[in-house]
Amino acid sequence: MAKIIVVTSGKGGVGKTTTSASFGAGLALRGHKTVVVDFDIGLRNLDLIMGCERRVVYDFVNVINKDARLNQALVRDKRVEHLYMLPASQTRDKDVLTREGVDRVFHELQQELGFEYIVCDSPAGIEKGARMALYFADEAIVVTNPEIASVRDSDRILGILSANSRRAEEGMEPVKPYLLVTRYNPDRVEQGEMLSLETVKELLGIPLIGVIPESESVLNASNLGTPVILDEKSKAGVAYSDVVDRFLGENRPLRFISTERTSLLRRFFGG
Amino acid sequence: MSFLDYLLGRRRNTAEIARERLQIILAREHTNRNAPDYLPALQQDILEVVAKYIPIDLQDIRVNLEREGDYEVLELNIPLSDDARGTTIRATTRAR
């Protein structure tokens, strides 16, 4: 059985698609056949972040409507072996995503194509697309910025995960949520201008799977269409690598969570 | 925030304020998390009926849904405006 992981947050712009691309690529790099599925119907973007927008022919909705076979819609990554992505459609009608349809596609991904991991890139909000992305999940990565609105929205999403997932409806073990704090800036935390890791963790009350530092390399990676995890020189890339290892059960201490040594003078006068 | 800022009381620690605000709002939202969707409409209807007979301040109402054994208890707490005595209306429904 494949494991289904939803990357979700409630709030937009916190790094869901960046995380989905890097997390999926990381699993594939470690030899697991992985597909990243874009659930943002109408606002397809995962293809751009993964750099395969020009090779999209058919999409998720075409497969659900049986206008195309799953194999025709899956886009195979050119850099990373075992990595695939299923693009969202650009249609404006969100009702095309049905539970039966998604269930059928997921079943085929697991049973016939032998995928080990299905990573669902959720759209922002708590509307149909977001609910569908989390419905089938076994585990959830809740992407949260150390910022007041993002924390509140993550808390809302945790409520929906525990009440409206398939696991909840069928009385199975609940969806396992993990906290991923992104855009973390230890300097600002030290200056009392940003919620600390400990505070976010305590407020949301779920286990932490990683911290991605605020980093210029994330924008550079998206400009290039390369998941940032492939940039082994960047802190964000290394931090994502650690996240994947922890997810697979390895023990990796947190990195980039404390401020780099500042001079005593600066600490005294600020700036 | 630098030590000098701290000595001069120049800036408040905004992260601390964010933490306190979140603690309060999340606690409030958790109590309403399992409430049924019709709760706000029901609350409004009940208030309109009560307001026909007693002068009340619509800003000052608290609604609470609790579970007591096999029952769900919907509690409306309405402070009366002139003499600060509270009136509680309890509606009990059998849980599904």
Side-chain angles (χ1 to χ4, degrees):
Chain A
M1 273 298 272
K3 209 173 246 184
I4 302 173
I5 303 126
V6 62
V7 177
T8 183
S9 70
K11 193 170 180 301
V14 296
K16 281 183 298 298
T17 302
T18 298
T19 298
S20 299
S22 280
F23 185 69
L27 289 169
L29 281 171
R30 286 154 184 78
H32 301 289
K33 192 170 177 185
T34 302
V35 57
V36 189
V37 183
D38 190 348
F39 271 82
D40 204 345
I41 305 300
L43 293 170
R44 173 200 296 164
N45 275 325
L46 181 66
D47 56 342
L48 280 176
I49 301 300
M50 292 182 71
C52 55
E53 68 277 9
R54 290 169 67 179
R55 291 192 293 130
V56 171
V57 184
Y58 294 106
D59 59 55
F60 199 5
V61 170
N62 293 143
V63 179
I64 285 178
N65 292 341
K66 299 189 181 170
D67 297 328
R69 280 178 294 110
L70 184 50
N71 254 326
Q72 295 176 295
L74 282 175
V75 182
R76 184 197 183 122
D77 196 275
K78 286 205 164 160
R79 296 152 302 206
V80 183
E81 207 189 344
H82 312 300
L83 179 62
Y84 295 78
M85 87 112 184
L86 185 57
S89 88
Q90 289 285 49
T91 168
R92 265 176 269 174
D93 179 12
K94 284 185 184 159
D95 293 332
V96 287
L97 273 191
T98 59
R99 263 187 204 171
E100 297 70 34
V102 176
D103 193 27
R104 202 189 72 233
V105 172
F106 279 11
H107 192 267
E108 196 179 334
L109 285 169
Q110 305 180 47
Q111 301 298 323
E112 282 157 49
L113 301 176
F115 278 97
E116 292 173 71
Y117 291 101
I118 300 173
V119 178
C120 306
D121 182 22
S122 172
I126 53 171
E127 296 299 313
K128 195 166 179 189
R131 284 169 184 267
M132 195 64 79
L134 66 78
Y135 183 74
F136 293 95
D138 300 306
E139 312 200 358
I141 295 180
V142 181
V143 183
T144 308
N145 290 170
E147 175 267 325
I148 197 158
S150 176
V151 174
R152 182 202 214 168
D153 290 357
S154 290
D155 185 71
R156 287 275 286 150
I157 279 291
L158 285 170
I160 293 170
L161 269 172
S162 68
N164 304 108
S165 65
R166 183 178 65 102
R167 284 178 164 268
E169 283 183 5
E170 294 180 2
M172 300 155 72
E173 281 269 292
V175 179
K176 233 193 258 175
Y178 297 106
L179 171 65
L180 179 68
V181 177
T182 53
R183 297 197 164 169
Y184 196 65
N185 185 332
D187 291 339
R188 298 200 73 183
V189 172
E190 172 142 310
Q191 300 190 0
E193 295 176 345
M194 183 180 269
L195 291 167
S196 74
L197 193 55
E198 292 72 26
T199 300
V200 178
K201 216 174 109 179
E202 182 194 307
L203 286 165
L204 293 176
I206 56 173
L208 181 75
I209 197 161
V211 181
I212 311 298
E214 193 164 49
S215 158
E216 288 168 7
S217 54
V218 173
L219 181 57
N220 281 322
S222 87
N223 288 341
L224 298 171
T226 312
V228 71
I229 196 170
L230 300 181
D231 181 355
E232 288 161 8
K233 287 193 203 98
S234 81
K235 288 181 182 176
V238 172
Y240 271 118
S241 245
D242 285 349
V243 168
V244 176
D245 289 337
R246 284 186 206 110
F247 183 81
L248 295 172
E250 307 275 331
N251 187 12
R252 293 277 180 278
L254 292 171
R255 289 192 252 190
F256 319 121
I257 56 166
S258 48
T259 175
E260 274 153 34
R261 194 158 289 284
T262 45
S263 74
L264 205 61
L265 275 178
R266 193 176 152 201
R267 207 171 282 185
F268 192 81
F269 292 106
Chain B
M1 198 160 89
S2 79
F3 187 59
L4 191 62
D5 288 332
Y6 177 76
L7 282 181
L8 299 175
R10 264 211 291 244
R11 253 187 310 175
R12 288 195 70 188
N13 181 325
T14 60
E16 185 54 30
I17 296 167
R19 188 180 70 87
E20 284 163 14
R21 292 174 64 209
L22 274 166
Q23 266 176 336
I24 293 164
I25 192 71
L26 294 190
R28 198 166 84 195
E29 285 174 351
H30 286 180
T31 57
N32 296 333
R33 188 183 268 182
N34 299 316
D37 292 341
Y38 58 74
L39 205 59
L42 176 65
Q43 175 184 353
Q44 197 53 40
D45 285 356
I46 294 174
L47 288 179
E48 277 169 24
V49 173
V50 175
K52 267 168 73 177
Y53 302 95
I54 316 168
I56 50 173
D57 184 358
L58 291 168
Q59 304 296 314
D60 238 12
I61 315 290
R62 287 241 294 280
V63 184
N64 207 3
L65 190 77
E66 273 172 27
R67 197 167 281 263
E68 287 179 10
D70 277 353
Y71 294 90
E72 273 181 351
V73 178
L74 176 71
E75 196 174 274
L76 277 177
N77 205 317
I78 308 170
L80 300 174
S81 1
D82 18 9
D83 58 333
R85 277 183 304 124
T87 295
T88 301
I89 298 173
R90 295 186 108 208
T92 311
T93 54
R94 194 179 283 279
R96 277 158 294 169

PDB file of all heavy atoms in Angstrom, chain A residues 136-163:
ATOM      1  N   PHE A 136      -8.084  11.870   1.562  1.00  0.00           N
ATOM      2  CA  PHE A 136      -7.552  10.505   1.503  1.00  0.00           C
ATOM      3  C   PHE A 136      -6.242  10.323   2.272  1.00  0.00           C
ATOM      4  O   PHE A 136      -5.670   9.232   2.280  1.00  0.00           O
ATOM      5  CB  PHE A 136      -7.341  10.109   0.038  1.00  0.00           C
ATOM      6  CG  PHE A 136      -8.629   9.970  -0.723  1.00  0.00           C
ATOM      7  CD1 PHE A 136      -9.135  11.013  -1.482  1.00  0.00           C
ATOM      8  CD2 PHE A 136      -9.363   8.786  -0.658  1.00  0.00           C
ATOM      9  CE1 PHE A 136     -10.339  10.888  -2.173  1.00  0.00           C
ATOM     10  CE2 PHE A 136     -10.562   8.644  -1.344  1.00  0.00           C
ATOM     11  CZ  PHE A 136     -11.048   9.698  -2.094  1.00  0.00           C
ATOM     12  N   ALA A 137      -5.771  11.405   2.918  1.00  0.00           N
ATOM     13  CA  ALA A 137      -4.418  11.384   3.487  1.00  0.00           C
ATOM     14  C   ALA A 137      -4.246  10.397   4.647  1.00  0.00           C
ATOM     15  O   ALA A 137      -5.158  10.157   5.430  1.00  0.00           O
ATOM     16  CB  ALA A 137      -4.046  12.789   3.959  1.00  0.00           C
ATOM     17  N   ASP A 138      -3.051   9.812   4.711  1.00  0.00           N
ATOM     18  CA  ASP A 138      -2.647   9.029   5.872  1.00  0.00           C
ATOM     19  C   ASP A 138      -1.874   9.920   6.838  1.00  0.00           C
ATOM     20  O   ASP A 138      -1.946   9.767   8.048  1.00  0.00           O
ATOM     21  CB  ASP A 138      -1.734   7.872   5.446  1.00  0.00           C
ATOM     22  CG  ASP A 138      -2.440   6.929   4.475  1.00  0.00           C
ATOM     23  OD1 ASP A 138      -3.534   6.461   4.820  1.00  0.00           O
ATOM     24  OD2 ASP A 138      -1.901   6.691   3.388  1.00  0.00           O
ATOM     25  N   GLU A 139      -1.065  10.816   6.253  1.00  0.00           N
ATOM     26  CA  GLU A 139      -0.273  11.725   7.057  1.00  0.00           C
ATOM     27  C   GLU A 139      -0.370  13.113   6.444  1.00  0.00           C
ATOM     28  O   GLU A 139      -0.692  13.244   5.263  1.00  0.00           O
ATOM     29  CB  GLU A 139       1.197  11.255   7.092  1.00  0.00           C
ATOM     30  CG  GLU A 139       1.271   9.758   7.400  1.00  0.00           C
ATOM     31  CD  GLU A 139       2.602   9.268   7.922  1.00  0.00           C
ATOM     32  OE1 GLU A 139       3.535  10.067   8.040  1.00  0.00           O
ATOM     33  OE2 GLU A 139       2.684   8.063   8.205  1.00  0.00           O
ATOM     34  N   ALA A 140      -0.121  14.129   7.259  1.00  0.00           N
ATOM     35  CA  ALA A 140      -0.250  15.502   6.763  1.00  0.00           C
ATOM     36  C   ALA A 140       0.964  16.315   7.178  1.00  0.00           C
ATOM     37  O   ALA A 140       1.397  16.244   8.325  1.00  0.00           O
ATOM     38  CB  ALA A 140      -1.518  16.143   7.313  1.00  0.00           C
ATOM     39  N   ILE A 141       1.496  17.069   6.228  1.00  0.00           N
ATOM     40  CA  ILE A 141       2.537  18.040   6.564  1.00  0.00           C
ATOM     41  C   ILE A 141       1.861  19.405   6.586  1.00  0.00           C
ATOM     42  O   ILE A 141       1.359  19.873   5.563  1.00  0.00           O
ATOM     43  CB  ILE A 141       3.687  17.995   5.542  1.00  0.00           C
ATOM     44  CG1 ILE A 141       4.381  16.638   5.627  1.00  0.00           C
ATOM     45  CG2 ILE A 141       4.675  19.138   5.795  1.00  0.00           C
ATOM     46  CD1 ILE A 141       5.539  16.463   4.662  1.00  0.00           C
ATOM     47  N   VAL A 142       1.801  19.994   7.769  1.00  0.00           N
ATOM     48  CA  VAL A 142       1.125  21.277   7.931  1.00  0.00           C
ATOM     49  C   VAL A 142       2.180  22.380   7.869  1.00  0.00           C
ATOM     50  O   VAL A 142       2.963  22.560   8.794  1.00  0.00           O
ATOM     51  CB  VAL A 142       0.339  21.320   9.258  1.00  0.00           C
ATOM     52  CG1 VAL A 142      -0.374  22.651   9.409  1.00  0.00           C
ATOM     53  CG2 VAL A 142      -0.662  20.174   9.308  1.00  0.00           C
ATOM     54  N   VAL A 143       2.208  23.070   6.728  1.00  0.00           N
ATOM     55  CA  VAL A 143       3.230  24.094   6.491  1.00  0.00           C
ATOM     56  C   VAL A 143       2.784  25.402   7.160  1.00  0.00           C
ATOM     57  O   VAL A 143       1.682  25.883   6.920  1.00  0.00           O
ATOM     58  CB  VAL A 143       3.428  24.328   4.976  1.00  0.00           C
ATOM     59  CG1 VAL A 143       4.534  25.342   4.726  1.00  0.00           C
ATOM     60  CG2 VAL A 143       3.734  23.010   4.268  1.00  0.00           C
ATOM     61  N   THR A 144       3.638  25.923   8.024  1.00  0.00           N
ATOM     62  CA  THR A 144       3.259  27.088   8.815  1.00  0.00           C
ATOM     63  C   THR A 144       4.390  28.106   8.858  1.00  0.00           C
ATOM     64  O   THR A 144       5.531  27.747   9.120  1.00  0.00           O
ATOM     65  CB  THR A 144       2.936  26.639  10.265  1.00  0.00           C
ATOM     66  OG1 THR A 144       1.991  25.574  10.230  1.00  0.00           O
ATOM     67  CG2 THR A 144       2.368  27.786  11.088  1.00  0.00           C
ATOM     68  N   ASN A 145       4.066  29.360   8.593  1.00  0.00           N
ATOM     69  CA  ASN A 145       5.037  30.438   8.795  1.00  0.00           C
ATOM     70  C   ASN A 145       4.918  30.926  10.234  1.00  0.00           C
ATOM     71  O   ASN A 145       3.832  30.881  10.811  1.00  0.00           O
ATOM     72  CB  ASN A 145       4.751  31.629   7.862  1.00  0.00           C
ATOM     73  CG  ASN A 145       5.054  31.333   6.397  1.00  0.00           C
ATOM     74  OD1 ASN A 145       4.706  32.115   5.527  1.00  0.00           O
ATOM     75  ND2 ASN A 145       5.688  30.210   6.119  1.00  0.00           N
ATOM     76  N   PRO A 146       6.015  31.398  10.815  1.00  0.00           N
ATOM     77  CA  PRO A 146       5.956  31.905  12.194  1.00  0.00           C
ATOM     78  C   PRO A 146       5.270  33.260  12.229  1.00  0.00           C
ATOM     79  O   PRO A 146       5.886  34.279  12.530  1.00  0.00           O
ATOM     80  CB  PRO A 146       7.423  31.995  12.609  1.00  0.00           C
ATOM     81  CG  PRO A 146       8.189  31.989  11.348  1.00  0.00           C
ATOM     82  CD  PRO A 146       7.360  31.436  10.258  1.00  0.00           C
ATOM     83  N   GLU A 147       4.020  33.259  11.920  1.00  0.00           N
ATOM     84  CA  GLU A 147       3.287  34.512  11.715  1.00  0.00           C
ATOM     85  C   GLU A 147       1.852  34.231  12.135  1.00  0.00           C
ATOM     86  O   GLU A 147       1.321  33.132  11.925  1.00  0.00           O
ATOM     87  CB  GLU A 147       3.452  34.865  10.235  1.00  0.00           C
ATOM     88  CG  GLU A 147       2.716  36.045   9.730  1.00  0.00           C
ATOM     89  CD  GLU A 147       1.384  35.658   9.155  1.00  0.00           C
ATOM     90  OE1 GLU A 147       1.271  34.578   8.551  1.00  0.00           O
ATOM     91  OE2 GLU A 147       0.438  36.431   9.361  1.00  0.00           O
ATOM     92  N   ILE A 148       1.188  35.213  12.712  1.00  0.00           N
ATOM     93  CA  ILE A 148      -0.058  35.010  13.440  1.00  0.00           C
ATOM     94  C   ILE A 148      -1.186  34.402  12.574  1.00  0.00           C
ATOM     95  O   ILE A 148      -1.857  33.460  12.994  1.00  0.00           O
ATOM     96  CB  ILE A 148      -0.455  36.358  14.100  1.00  0.00           C
ATOM     97  CG1 ILE A 148      -1.481  36.163  15.196  1.00  0.00           C
ATOM     98  CG2 ILE A 148      -0.867  37.397  13.107  1.00  0.00           C
ATOM     99  CD1 ILE A 148      -1.499  37.323  16.192  1.00  0.00           C
ATOM    100  N   ALA A 149      -1.362  34.894  11.342  1.00  0.00           N
ATOM    101  CA  ALA A 149      -2.460  34.391  10.508  1.00  0.00           C
ATOM    102  C   ALA A 149      -2.196  32.951  10.055  1.00  0.00           C
ATOM    103  O   ALA A 149      -3.104  32.127   9.991  1.00  0.00           O
ATOM    104  CB  ALA A 149      -2.645  35.304   9.288  1.00  0.00           C
ATOM    105  N   SER A 150      -0.949  32.665   9.766  1.00  0.00           N
ATOM    106  CA  SER A 150      -0.613  31.316   9.313  1.00  0.00           C
ATOM    107  C   SER A 150      -0.840  30.285  10.423  1.00  0.00           C
ATOM    108  O   SER A 150      -1.352  29.193  10.177  1.00  0.00           O
ATOM    109  CB  SER A 150       0.847  31.286   8.848  1.00  0.00           C
ATOM    110  OG  SER A 150       1.219  29.984   8.495  1.00  0.00           O
ATOM    111  N   VAL A 151      -0.483  30.641  11.649  1.00  0.00           N
ATOM    112  CA  VAL A 151      -0.662  29.717  12.780  1.00  0.00           C
ATOM    113  C   VAL A 151      -2.152  29.451  13.005  1.00  0.00           C
ATOM    114  O   VAL A 151      -2.583  28.312  13.190  1.00  0.00           O
ATOM    115  CB  VAL A 151      -0.012  30.278  14.064  1.00  0.00           C
ATOM    116  CG1 VAL A 151      -0.330  29.388  15.264  1.00  0.00           C
ATOM    117  CG2 VAL A 151       1.495  30.392  13.893  1.00  0.00           C
ATOM    118  N   ARG A 152      -2.945  30.503  12.943  1.00  0.00           N
ATOM    119  CA  ARG A 152      -4.379  30.309  13.148  1.00  0.00           C
ATOM    120  C   ARG A 152      -4.978  29.419  12.056  1.00  0.00           C
ATOM    121  O   ARG A 152      -5.770  28.514  12.336  1.00  0.00           O
ATOM    122  CB  ARG A 152      -5.078  31.666  13.125  1.00  0.00           C
ATOM    123  CG  ARG A 152      -6.553  31.545  13.368  1.00  0.00           C
ATOM    124  CD  ARG A 152      -7.279  32.745  12.827  1.00  0.00           C
ATOM    125  NE  ARG A 152      -8.441  33.081  13.648  1.00  0.00           N
ATOM    126  CZ  ARG A 152      -9.101  34.217  13.518  1.00  0.00           C
ATOM    127  NH1 ARG A 152      -8.707  35.124  12.662  1.00  0.00           N
ATOM    128  NH2 ARG A 152     -10.151  34.450  14.254  1.00  0.00           N
ATOM    129  N   ASP A 153      -4.581  29.663  10.800  1.00  0.00           N
ATOM    130  CA  ASP A 153      -5.131  28.860   9.705  1.00  0.00           C
ATOM    131  C   ASP A 153      -4.675  27.408   9.796  1.00  0.00           C
ATOM    132  O   ASP A 153      -5.437  26.485   9.479  1.00  0.00           O
ATOM    133  CB  ASP A 153      -4.728  29.459   8.353  1.00  0.00           C
ATOM    134  CG  ASP A 153      -5.446  30.784   8.089  1.00  0.00           C
ATOM    135  OD1 ASP A 153      -6.270  31.177   8.934  1.00  0.00           O
ATOM    136  OD2 ASP A 153      -5.191  31.408   7.053  1.00  0.00           O
ATOM    137  N   SER A 154      -3.446  27.191  10.239  1.00  0.00           N
ATOM    138  CA  SER A 154      -2.968  25.814  10.415  1.00  0.00           C
ATOM    139  C   SER A 154      -3.807  25.104  11.472  1.00  0.00           C
ATOM    140  O   SER A 154      -4.138  23.926  11.338  1.00  0.00           O
ATOM    141  CB  SER A 154      -1.501  25.806  10.854  1.00  0.00           C
ATOM    142  OG  SER A 154      -0.689  26.223   9.791  1.00  0.00           O
ATOM    143  N   ASP A 155      -4.159  25.837  12.508  1.00  0.00           N
ATOM    144  CA  ASP A 155      -4.991  25.262  13.559  1.00  0.00           C
ATOM    145  C   ASP A 155      -6.367  24.862  13.012  1.00  0.00           C
ATOM    146  O   ASP A 155      -6.906  23.809  13.360  1.00  0.00           O
ATOM    147  CB  ASP A 155      -5.134  26.282  14.699  1.00  0.00           C
ATOM    148  CG  ASP A 155      -5.885  25.702  15.882  1.00  0.00           C
ATOM    149  OD1 ASP A 155      -5.316  24.845  16.561  1.00  0.00           O
ATOM    150  OD2 ASP A 155      -7.058  26.083  16.087  1.00  0.00           O
ATOM    151  N   ARG A 156      -6.906  25.700  12.139  1.00  0.00           N
ATOM    152  CA  ARG A 156      -8.196  25.389  11.499  1.00  0.00           C
ATOM    153  C   ARG A 156      -8.086  24.118  10.668  1.00  0.00           C
ATOM    154  O   ARG A 156      -8.956  23.256  10.698  1.00  0.00           O
ATOM    155  CB  ARG A 156      -8.621  26.547  10.580  1.00  0.00           C
ATOM    156  CG  ARG A 156      -9.087  27.766  11.321  1.00  0.00           C
ATOM    157  CD  ARG A 156     -10.554  27.675  11.682  1.00  0.00           C
ATOM    158  NE  ARG A 156     -11.417  27.882  10.518  1.00  0.00           N
ATOM    159  CZ  ARG A 156     -12.606  27.331  10.364  1.00  0.00           C
ATOM    160  NH1 ARG A 156     -13.063  26.513  11.279  1.00  0.00           N
ATOM    161  NH2 ARG A 156     -13.331  27.580   9.294  1.00  0.00           N
ATOM    162  N   ILE A 157      -7.009  24.041   9.900  1.00  0.00           N
ATOM    163  CA  ILE A 157      -6.797  22.864   9.035  1.00  0.00           C
ATOM    164  C   ILE A 157      -6.668  21.600   9.885  1.00  0.00           C
ATOM    165  O   ILE A 157      -7.184  20.538   9.517  1.00  0.00           O
ATOM    166  CB  ILE A 157      -5.542  23.087   8.153  1.00  0.00           C
ATOM    167  CG1 ILE A 157      -5.888  23.955   6.953  1.00  0.00           C
ATOM    168  CG2 ILE A 157      -4.931  21.765   7.690  1.00  0.00           C
ATOM    169  CD1 ILE A 157      -6.789  23.298   5.911  1.00  0.00           C
ATOM    170  N   LEU A 158      -6.021  21.712  11.047  1.00  0.00           N
ATOM    171  CA  LEU A 158      -5.888  20.542  11.922  1.00  0.00           C
ATOM    172  C   LEU A 158      -7.267  20.059  12.377  1.00  0.00           C
ATOM    173  O   LEU A 158      -7.512  18.856  12.488  1.00  0.00           O
ATOM    174  CB  LEU A 158      -5.013  20.874  13.138  1.00  0.00           C
ATOM    175  CG  LEU A 158      -3.520  20.960  12.832  1.00  0.00           C
ATOM    176  CD1 LEU A 158      -2.761  21.525  14.033  1.00  0.00           C
ATOM    177  CD2 LEU A 158      -2.961  19.599  12.443  1.00  0.00           C
ATOM    178  N   GLY A 159      -8.175  21.007  12.621  1.00  0.00           N
ATOM    179  CA  GLY A 159      -9.544  20.642  12.989  1.00  0.00           C
ATOM    180  C   GLY A 159     -10.236  19.886  11.864  1.00  0.00           C
ATOM    181  O   GLY A 159     -10.914  18.888  12.095  1.00  0.00           O
ATOM    182  N   ILE A 160     -10.042  20.357  10.631  1.00  0.00           N
ATOM    183  CA  ILE A 160     -10.676  19.704   9.479  1.00  0.00           C
ATOM    184  C   ILE A 160     -10.064  18.317   9.254  1.00  0.00           C
ATOM    185  O   ILE A 160     -10.769  17.357   8.964  1.00  0.00           O
ATOM    186  CB  ILE A 160     -10.540  20.598   8.226  1.00  0.00           C
ATOM    187  CG1 ILE A 160     -11.361  21.871   8.428  1.00  0.00           C
ATOM    188  CG2 ILE A 160     -11.004  19.871   6.971  1.00  0.00           C
ATOM    189  CD1 ILE A 160     -11.141  22.941   7.400  1.00  0.00           C
ATOM    190  N   LEU A 161      -8.756  18.233   9.430  1.00  0.00           N
ATOM    191  CA  LEU A 161      -8.084  16.932   9.279  1.00  0.00           C
ATOM    192  C   LEU A 161      -8.641  15.895  10.248  1.00  0.00           C
ATOM    193  O   LEU A 161      -8.840  14.742   9.894  1.00  0.00           O
ATOM    194  CB  LEU A 161      -6.586  17.079   9.571  1.00  0.00           C
ATOM    195  CG  LEU A 161      -5.653  17.388   8.409  1.00  0.00           C
ATOM    196  CD1 LEU A 161      -4.266  17.694   8.947  1.00  0.00           C
ATOM    197  CD2 LEU A 161      -5.592  16.241   7.418  1.00  0.00           C
ATOM    198  N   SER A 162      -8.899  16.340  11.471  1.00  0.00           N
ATOM    199  CA  SER A 162      -9.336  15.371  12.473  1.00  0.00           C
ATOM    200  C   SER A 162     -10.826  15.055  12.359  1.00  0.00           C
ATOM    201  O   SER A 162     -11.288  14.068  12.903  1.00  0.00           O
ATOM    202  CB  SER A 162      -8.988  15.853  13.880  1.00  0.00           C
ATOM    203  OG  SER A 162      -9.767  16.972  14.187  1.00  0.00           O
ATOM    204  N   ALA A 163     -11.585  15.886  11.618  1.00  0.00           N
ATOM    205  CA  ALA A 163     -13.029  15.630  11.535  1.00  0.00           C
ATOM    206  C   ALA A 163     -13.493  15.205  10.144  1.00  0.00           C
ATOM    207  O   ALA A 163     -14.448  14.449  10.013  1.00  0.00           O
ATOM    208  CB  ALA A 163     -13.794  16.884  11.955  1.00  0.00           C
TER     209      ALA A 163
END
